[in-house]
Amino acid sequence: QKEVEQNSGPLSVPEGAIASLNCTYSDRGSQSFFWYRQYSGKSPELIMFIYSNGDKEDGRFTAQLNKASQYVSLLIRDSQPSDSATYLCAPTYAGNKLTFGGGTRVLVKP
Amino acid sequence: GAVVSQHPSWVICKSGTSVKIECRSLDFQATTMFWYRQFPKQSLMLMATSNEGSKATYEQGVEKDKFLINHASLTLSTLTVTSAHPEDSSFYICSAAGQGDEKLFFGSGTQLSVL
């Protein structure tokens, strides 16, 4: 059973602050890791992916991966109200299948 | 990112009827498409993997005779919910990846309500 654990939240952050989201996964064979953003009633939108240990930055987003600890995180800098959504962590398994965590709901308050 | 089109966006049907959902990759050839289901306040659950020209692979617990998947071309996969019942009411989402690409792009989803 592939498991992906995320704190369900809500993670409440003031506008302009950093939101820090964590994710742990059980499958040591996972090679690629994706972060998706999902607004209520909408389908997921890819925002970041990371393959190697360390940090990867893309605009206001930074993904961090530690395969030894089976841990991946997402930082959102300068959080905006439009960042309020549920963020889904998704490691791959068996090729390009994704297992989704339950998601962390982020609420950015103006 | 790549564009995946999904239709219809929402459908209401009577119990016992069948519903077909289409998923198209608009600007790339999708050798593999995935079908997910999401219940309210829950995460996405993979239902099946659809490969062009071959039978779909279903995840454990998903009835293949109830959820018929056809991947007739490199740009089109369909999911048919046969003899739908109220418990099939859910948000169904397709996703697709290009050949050799691990990044999945999602369709806009279909909200199915079975009365």
Side-chain angles (χ1 to χ4, degrees):
Chain A
Q1 183 81 13
K2 310 294 187 289
E3 293 187 356
V4 181
E5 298 289 336
Q6 293 182 257
N7 189 319
S8 61
L11 174 64
S12 184
V13 296
E15 184 175 357
I18 296 175
S20 178
L21 292 75
N22 303 317
C23 171
T24 58
Y25 59 95
S26 65
D27 185 6
R28 285 195 171 275
S30 294
Q31 295 296 316
S32 306
F33 303 83
F34 298 83
W35 282 98
Y36 286 85
R37 175 174 63 197
Q38 186 176 27
Y39 293 109
S40 180
K42 304 294 184 182
S43 65
E45 171 191 10
L46 179 65
I47 55 172
M48 280 288 290
F49 57 91
I50 185 167
Y51 303 139
S52 304
N53 282 327
D55 296 358
K56 179 182 178 182
E57 187 174 316
D58 184 357
R60 295 187 295 110
F61 299 99
T62 298
Q64 299 172 318
L65 174 62
N66 184 324
K67 291 185 179 180
S69 299
Q70 295 175 249
Y71 172 91
V72 58
S73 67
L74 179 71
L75 299 178
I76 308 173
R77 291 183 300 281
D78 188 23
S79 296
Q80 302 297 309
S82 60
D83 294 327
S84 297
T86 296
Y87 290 80
L88 304 170
C89 169
T92 57
Y93 72 99
N96 61 350
K97 289 184 178 183
L98 296 184
T99 302
F100 285 87
T104 297
R105 190 160 71 92
V106 172
L107 183 61
V108 181
K109 295 184 175 181
Chain B
V3 179
V4 177
S5 175
Q6 185 174 344
H7 293 281
S9 299
W10 58 270
V11 60
I12 301 172
C13 69
K14 292 182 179 179
S15 184
T17 60
S18 294
V19 175
K20 179 185 281 189
I21 303 170
E22 288 191 351
C23 181
R24 295 181 183 270
S25 56
L26 297 185
D27 53 359
F28 68 102
Q29 292 185 328
T31 53
T32 304
M33 289 186 174
F34 300 91
W35 287 94
Y36 290 85
R37 179 167 53 181
Q38 186 176 35
F39 292 105
K41 299 191 183 301
Q42 295 187 22
S43 191
L44 283 76
M45 297 300 296
L46 179 64
M47 298 176 66
T49 303
S50 169
N51 293 297
E52 186 266 338
S54 63
K55 289 184 178 181
T57 303
Y58 291 82
E59 296 299 303
Q60 191 173 9
V62 178
E63 300 175 57
K64 63 180 181 180
D65 294 330
K66 180 170 184 63
F67 299 99
L68 302 179
I69 292 172
N70 185 296
H71 195 150
S73 74
L74 286 172
T75 60
L76 173 64
S77 177
T78 61
L79 167 68
T80 301
V81 183
T82 62
S83 187
H85 291 283
E87 58 265 29
D88 298 322
S89 298
S90 185
F91 191 46
Y92 292 85
I93 315 172
C94 72
S95 66
Q99 190 171 13
D101 192 352
E102 288 183 306
K103 296 189 292 293
L104 288 186
F105 296 94
F106 285 84
S108 55
T110 298
Q111 183 63 54
L112 171 64
S113 296
V114 184
L115 304 179

